[in-house]
Amino acid sequence: MRESRTPSPAKDLPVPRRLLPRAALSRAPALLLSLFLTGTLACVKRQVDYEREYARSLAPKTYAPPAAPAPAGARPEAPPHRTVRVRLYADEAYRAQGLHWERDFTEQLRRASQDVEGTLGVVFELDSARPCSLPADTRDLEGALVALEALDPGDDVDLVVGLLPALRVFTASHNDLGRARMFGRHMVLRGMENPEEHQQILGVLSHLPSAEQDALYRERKLHKETSVLLHEWAHTLGAFHESDSHWTMAPVYDVTQAGFSPPTLQLLALSLRHVPQARRDVQAQKAWAAELTQLLSTTAWPAWEGPAKQEVLAWAERVQSGEEPLTREPPQQLSAGDRKRFEQVVALEHAGRLEVAAQTLEPLVPRYRRNAAVQVMACYLSSRVAPSQPSTADRCEAADKAFPEEASPALNLASLRLQAKDPEGAEAHLVRARARLQAHPPEENPGVWLALAGLLRNASCVSWAEEAAAQAKGQQGAEEVATWAARTRHWMGLPPPPAKSAVPPEQEGRFVRRVRDIEALLERGASAQARTATASLGKDFPGAPLVLQLQCEAQVRTGQLVPARALCLRALEAQEDLVQAHFLLGWMADAKHQPAEARPHLERVVALEPAHEEAWRLLARQYRAGGQGAQLEALKARYRAQFARELP
């Protein structure tokens, strides 16, 4: 039995050295507390300094539009002074959110004047401020804009502004913050109070004094108010959205935006020279349109390129041809009784009773020529109930011209052209509908994007159909269009973006249709015609791999297998995922009893295009001949899942 042993302090345990005199030890708790508090205060100070620096990064930039460069040696000239007289209407719900709404808007105009007076010479001046009460169902921006135009044409002022209540949730999209009539004189703006943003600032800057937190929120709010006001005012002069997010005309607001881009300043200065005379005189309006066309056609500014610029050019073209009215008549509002009738039409349409819906709507059509909802619905119902009637196309053409912001009439016209076997004519309408939809966030019109995707599919416009299906995400049928696009790419040799293609998106429809015509000639045995058409296709689309594949197929059908094989291999060198090139090589190898070459090509066909039944049968024959039982059973299971029947 082992003895227990008590350790000796002198030998077994270390004796701590006394670092402080005994008197000092009695004061240790106070010293430790003092050190702790000093360290804590220093840490808090560092946190405050950090948050103060972060707050500076959250503060908006000072509005400083670039001045137009003066000629060398010349003193820059001040722009001519222009007073923009503004009439204000404040909705009841907006007034409930702020007691001093007139004073606050006057201050908003003053800030806006400071920002543009130096470069454009513009000073905003409040003509009058009036309360109003918009119906609850017109507090969406477009509805409110229509109601404002009907309330006050604004012939005696330069600008009519309507104020709507702030949204409850945060948004940075200009389409949600304000709306203006292009080349008009009306705009609506939302209030910019946002508790959600205020709470976020409190959360990330919790160590800053509340006065600094509130000052930052107010500074951001005032910048947003001014920026949105100037953004929408610029729309009334013909300025459009540009893709560079650094400038005020970007479609999404940001605190870093601090001015109009140099080209947009040129456009605004041009328009200010013509307005307001161009709103009263036809010749002045035509002169304005001609100068705008010249500016847009000669200015190389990448951020301007896109559908928004094309819409402005289209407006200028209509003005110069005399098709655009000098003043836009205010849209008509439905009477209470007619509103109920229209709601009945909508219910009938949702129930699928299209003929009854069309009959119920018909009395409203001649009475409400300037009501977009009525005319767009009339076009839609007519295109479904009587697509072959000439009056249907006339009705849709009228709606398309009267309401250029609406995509639906253009879609219905495209549908009519497709039914008439005129895909080229349909494409022109689809391009216009696509441009109109792109002017709004995709979440506003997912169902219309889906309709566009389906029509683009029918017109064989692969990339545009794919794009539209992506914008219609979540809509039933969007995935089907995306799958079709992917398979068509494999079949037609159209690589997905961003890969460079010999066929640009705007020519894909024409390319695909010509390829299908050549395939039909090959199926009929018209080899000479097919060769001629393929040669023409190769001239129009040099470098397209599918041309080699079509030449390969023509050789196969005339028994020239050696040159055919070389052509198909060249096609696959250019683009590996060509379905028919793989199939033709697999078929030729099978005919020559070369299973080692046939199997990989046939397996690739089945992977790229599962609906290609002949490839499944040839591949199964290869597996049987090679004694590859496991591969054959797996192939049978996949075939069963694909076609819901047994592999022959």
Side-chain angles (χ1 to χ4, degrees):
M1 176 177 172
R2 243 176 23 179
E3 282 185 358
S4 63
R5 183 170 174 270
T6 303
S8 167
K11 295 181 180 179
D12 294 0
L13 293 178
V15 178
R17 290 186 299 162
R18 185 172 293 163
L19 299 178
L20 295 171
R22 189 176 300 276
L25 288 174
S26 65
R27 299 196 302 271
L31 286 169
L32 289 172
L33 179 60
S34 176
L35 290 170
F36 171 76
L37 290 175
T38 302
T40 301
L41 290 172
C43 181
V44 170
K45 184 178 184 303
R46 285 195 299 271
Q47 183 65 27
V48 170
D49 290 342
Y50 168 78
E51 290 188 2
R52 190 165 283 137
E53 184 65 29
Y54 183 54
R56 292 191 189 99
S57 71
L58 297 177
K61 284 190 176 180
T62 303
Y63 206 92
R75 296 181 61 184
E77 295 183 6
H81 177 82
R82 300 178 177 91
T83 299
V84 175
R85 293 176 303 120
V86 182
R87 180 170 297 144
L88 175 67
Y89 287 89
D91 179 49
E92 180 181 7
Y94 177 88
R95 301 195 307 275
Q97 293 181 344
L99 296 177
H100 307 293
W101 54 274
E102 183 176 351
R103 183 195 67 189
D104 291 344
F105 186 74
T106 302
E107 178 62 19
Q108 188 175 345
L109 291 179
R110 186 192 64 78
R111 294 193 307 272
S113 300
Q114 287 181 332
D115 292 340
V116 295
E117 186 175 10
T119 51
L120 295 171
V122 169
V123 174
F124 295 95
E125 180 182 283
L126 185 63
D127 173 84
S128 58
R130 307 173 184 180
C132 69
S133 295
L134 296 174
D137 59 353
T138 61
R139 287 192 186 133
D140 66 282
L141 293 182
E142 184 60 33
L145 185 58
V146 168
L148 185 66
E149 290 170 325
L151 176 66
D152 185 347
D155 294 333
D156 56 337
V157 292
D158 300 295
L159 197 62
V160 181
V161 177
L163 297 180
L164 299 177
L167 291 171
R168 294 182 179 180
V169 296
F170 175 80
T171 180
S173 170
H174 274 292
N175 281 326
D176 295 326
L177 298 172
R179 192 72 56 89
R181 188 67 67 205
M182 288 286 286
F183 301 104
R185 67 177 85 216
H186 293 78
M187 71 164 74
V188 289
L189 304 172
R190 291 199 185 278
M192 299 302 163
E193 287 288 350
N194 191 265
E196 183 180 333
E197 183 178 2
H198 197 192
Q199 287 302 315
Q200 288 178 348
I201 289 175
L202 294 177
V204 298
L205 304 175
S206 58
H207 293 83
L208 283 188
S210 59
E212 293 186 39
Q213 295 172 344
D214 293 342
L216 174 62
Y217 171 72
R218 175 173 170 76
E219 189 179 357
R220 289 169 62 93
K221 172 179 172 288
L222 295 181
H223 181 273
K224 193 174 188 179
E225 286 179 348
T226 306
S227 185
V228 173
L229 169 64
L230 290 172
H231 178 104
E232 300 304 332
W233 167 70
H235 277 322
T236 68
L237 296 175
F240 47 90
H241 286 167
E242 53 190 8
S243 58
D244 191 333
S245 62
H246 292 91
W247 303 106
T248 297
M249 291 314 295
V252 175
Y253 164 79
D254 193 270
V255 292
T256 63
Q257 293 161 357
F260 294 110
S261 67
T264 296
L265 277 175
Q266 283 185 277
L267 186 153
L268 293 174
L270 182 158
S271 294
L272 286 166
R273 289 199 303 272
H274 292 278
V275 173
Q277 185 65 23
R279 289 173 175 156
R280 298 191 296 264
D281 180 76
V282 172
Q283 294 307 314
Q285 188 186 45
K286 289 185 176 182
W288 182 16
E291 277 201 56
L292 268 180
T293 301
Q294 175 69 15
L295 176 66
L296 296 182
S297 302
T298 58
T299 302
W301 182 247
W304 267 5
E305 299 307 319
K309 173 183 174 182
Q310 297 306 315
E311 285 290 319
V312 173
L313 286 170
W315 174 87
E317 183 179 346
R318 292 196 301 273
V319 167
Q320 293 178 82
S321 64
E323 297 178 11
E324 185 78 11
L326 184 62
T327 57
R328 179 176 176 141
E329 292 183 278
Q332 293 171 286
Q333 300 298 306
L334 295 171
S335 67
D338 287 340
R339 178 179 290 278
K340 288 183 179 180
R341 176 182 281 266
F342 187 76
E343 289 170 353
Q344 183 183 3
V345 170
V346 173
L348 288 166
E349 186 272 327
H350 285 169
R353 301 175 64 188
L354 301 184
E355 291 189 1
V356 180
Q359 293 170 3
T360 305
L361 179 68
E362 197 58 35
L364 303 184
V365 177
R367 286 209 298 270
Y368 293 97
R369 296 290 184 191
R370 301 194 311 277
N371 185 287
V374 170
Q375 298 303 322
V376 168
M377 178 64 82
C379 163
Y380 168 76
L381 292 174
S382 297
S383 68
R384 297 302 182 273
V385 174
S388 59
Q389 291 294 324
S391 59
T392 296
D394 292 342
R395 175 169 284 182
C396 288
E397 290 282 4
D400 187 55
K401 183 177 293 186
F403 308 102
E405 68 280 359
E406 294 286 345
S408 294
L411 290 176
N412 290 318
L413 286 166
S415 177
L416 294 175
R417 298 321 310 154
L418 287 170
Q419 292 178 61
K421 309 299 182 186
D422 178 16
E424 285 78 13
E427 269 195 53
H429 296 302
L430 292 171
V431 167
R432 192 164 62 256
R434 176 173 174 265
R436 292 173 181 178
L437 283 173
Q438 286 178 327
H440 303 279
E443 58 270 17
E444 284 188 8
N445 302 295
V448 185
W449 275 108
L450 180 63
L452 174 64
L455 290 170
L456 286 167
R457 171 184 176 172
N458 294 342
S460 303
C461 302
V462 181
S463 293
W464 289 346
E466 201 170 45
E467 171 199 77
Q471 301 286 39
K473 187 184 300 182
Q475 295 286 305
Q476 186 176 4
E479 187 175 345
E480 181 184 342
V481 175
T483 300
W484 166 85
R487 289 181 172 179
T488 304
R489 288 190 183 281
H490 298 321
W491 196 266
M492 295 290 169
L494 302 172
K500 186 177 181 181
S501 175
V503 185
E506 63 272 16
Q507 297 187 41
E508 285 177 352
R510 185 166 65 94
F511 177 82
V512 171
R513 292 190 293 269
R514 288 177 65 180
V515 169
R516 287 175 176 160
D517 289 342
I518 295 171
E519 290 174 340
L521 290 171
L522 290 169
E523 287 293 331
R524 294 203 306 267
S527 299
Q529 290 176 269
R531 285 194 179 94
T532 301
T534 302
S536 175
L537 185 72
K539 289 180 181 178
D540 291 342
F541 298 96
L546 201 74
V547 173
L548 294 169
Q549 178 189 286
L550 291 170
Q551 292 171 341
C552 168
E553 184 167 355
Q555 297 281 29
V556 167
R557 290 179 180 274
T558 56
Q560 307 296 316
L561 300 188
V562 173
R565 182 175 181 277
L567 286 165
C568 273
L569 287 173
R570 284 175 56 197
L572 291 180
E573 285 177 8
Q575 188 165 333
E576 188 280 332
D577 59 353
L578 286 171
V579 171
Q580 189 68 352
H582 278 294
F583 177 74
L584 292 169
L585 287 167
W587 183 88
M588 286 186 281
D590 174 76
K592 293 181 177 180
H593 305 289
Q594 297 172 334
E597 182 177 345
R599 279 196 299 271
H601 288 297
L602 295 172
E603 287 169 347
R604 189 72 175 122
V605 174
V606 169
L608 292 171
E609 180 46 80
H612 201 307
E613 290 196 63
E614 183 63 22
W616 290 85
R617 286 193 285 269
L618 285 179
L619 184 56
R621 188 163 72 187
Q622 294 297 319
Y623 286 157
R624 290 189 186 100
Q628 296 173 287
Q631 289 88 336
L632 180 60
E633 290 305 314
L635 188 71
K636 288 181 177 179
R638 289 166 57 199
Y639 185 91
R640 195 179 305 117
Q642 175 71 27
F643 297 102
R645 61 178 183 272
E646 295 299 325
L647 178 65

